[in-house]
Amino acid sequence: MITAVTTAAVSQWRRKTLGKVVFVPTMGALHAGHAALIRRARRLAGKDGAVAVSIFVNPTQFGPNEDLSRYPRPLRADEALCRSEGVDLLFRPDIREMYASDFSVAVSEKSLSLRFEGAERPGHFDGVCTVVAMLFQIIRPDIAVFGEKDWQQLAVVRRMVRDLKFPIRIVGHPIVREEDGLALSSRNRFLPPDARMMAPRIFQALTAAAMEAEGGAKPASLERQLRRDLGRIPGATLSYASIVEETTLEPIGRFTSETKARALVAVKLGGVRLLDNLALPIAR
Ligand code: PAF
């Protein structure tokens, strides 16, 4: 594995790399969910291709009251995971490599970004789009793999790639869960024990909604049920629970045979913001 800390070193590597390049952008604190993304990237790259991973805790996607300074940075363990998963290039720039001190240009998605996470965390997706666009320019991948846990992020990145004509295929990889259903996230380590015990109830609420959807329940009733179930988790504060069209993230008034629906939820538990989502099988 080559570790690069400068864009110049990545460019040099890129010039010599002839096969398909598949990219997994991360903020580090890697866990089994990231390992699954890297393995997916490996399969997509094929035997002649290469897998590139970036680790960069991007300050522009954190709000002023968010946990940038406390975001975990276990660099040694992250490097070991990348090496053992057969990553070809690890790019881990520092902030000066990514942002000039008088940095003044940003990429802003102006529709999908305004809802859900974007409404709760103003400017978050501008930070995500800007850094992902920069990483795409630096790595120049053929394919990029993103986890489906951050479903809204995936939808926003797809929109950016479509609208700005990046010649990159975006692949979403299914959520990896703990045995009890909790979606893996770098932030789970901050859950106090009592909150950790309650956290699987988020996935239970989602699976109950999926079963009701299959049985013919309407979107409004599913949302009510989800909000009720999530609201009953001891110590939880509900941010949102919505049934949306999976690409546009528009609310769904009525299911039709064409609808691709997804339930998106965010809950604050034990001081930690937990996101989850699930595709809803619609009764046809
Ligand atoms: O999902 C993440 O880890 C980050 O938002 C990303 C895509 C690496 C951009 O900083």
Side-chain angles (χ1 to χ4, degrees):
M1 178 173 87
I2 291 176
T3 299
V5 294
T6 63
T7 54
V10 177
S11 301
Q12 210 179 19
W13 174 83
R14 192 64 185 87
R15 271 195 297 275
K16 286 194 245 146
T17 307
L18 299 176
K20 213 183 282 170
V21 172
V22 187
F23 174 45
V24 182
T26 82
M27 297 209 298
L30 304 180
H31 49 65
H34 295 107
L37 301 183
I38 296 170
R39 273 179 226 148
R40 178 77 180 273
R42 185 81 273 155
R43 286 198 296 281
L44 289 164
K47 69 174 173 37
D48 299 326
V51 173
V53 170
S54 64
I55 294 180
F56 178 63
V57 183
N58 174 37
T60 63
Q61 69 190 77
F62 287 78
N65 301 318
E66 293 179 13
D67 53 358
L68 172 63
S69 61
R70 126 177 148 125
Y71 201 86
R73 292 164 171 86
L75 198 53
R76 284 251 170 81
D78 285 351
E79 283 188 340
L81 184 140
C82 288
R83 195 165 283 114
S84 71
E85 292 298 338
V87 168
D88 298 288
L89 174 83
L90 173 61
F91 178 45
R92 46 169 195 80
D94 69 9
I95 176 136
R96 283 165 312 215
E97 188 66 20
M98 294 299 280
Y99 292 103
S101 57
D102 58 351
F103 162 83
S104 60
V105 176
V107 179
S108 188
E109 192 285 328
K110 293 184 189 305
S111 171
L112 313 181
S113 290
L114 304 181
R115 292 164 230 165
F116 308 117
E117 286 307 290
E120 306 259 336
R121 307 174 65 192
H124 169 70
F125 286 114
D126 289 356
V128 170
C129 285
T130 303
V131 81
V132 169
M134 283 197 260
L135 291 165
F136 283 175
Q137 295 279 45
I138 297 166
I139 309 271
R140 288 188 290 113
D142 299 284
I143 303 175
V145 184
F146 288 79
E148 289 184 353
K149 186 182 76 65
D150 297 306
W151 186 267
Q152 187 178 9
Q153 170 173 280
L154 177 59
V156 168
V157 168
R158 284 192 201 281
R159 179 66 63 92
M160 176 185 81
V161 162
R162 186 198 74 178
D163 288 357
L164 297 186
K165 320 281 183 233
F166 280 99
I168 299 172
R169 184 176 140 215
I170 302 299
V171 171
H173 190 75
I175 297 175
V176 180
R177 298 181 181 279
E178 301 280 7
E179 266 183 28
D180 61 12
L182 174 64
L184 293 194
S185 161
S186 305
R187 291 191 166 106
N188 290 354
R189 68 187 72 195
F190 296 126
L191 283 170
D194 51 342
R196 174 65 190 82
M197 259 170 54
M198 292 300 149
R201 286 180 54 178
I202 299 171
F203 184 54
Q204 287 162 18
L206 284 167
T207 43
M211 271 153 64
E212 291 296 320
E214 203 164 22
K218 298 200 165 52
S221 126
L222 290 173
E223 279 186 0
R224 272 196 304 276
Q225 175 188 329
L226 260 178
R227 288 178 189 149
R228 188 199 58 215
D229 290 353
L230 294 168
R232 285 186 181 154
I233 303 175
T237 313
L238 176 65
S239 276
Y240 54 81
S242 294
I243 311 298
V244 297
E245 200 289 320
E246 66 172 23
T247 306
T248 61
L249 308 186
E250 290 290 344
I252 297 176
R254 195 172 64 84
F255 292 134
T256 70
S257 56
E258 261 82 71
T259 312
K260 290 212 164 114
R262 197 159 271 265
L264 299 187
V265 303
V267 164
K268 199 155 187 190
L269 198 56
V272 181
R273 195 173 168 77
L274 299 174
L275 310 189
D276 206 342
N277 67 82
L278 194 65
L280 298 179
I282 306 304
R284 310 276 179 214

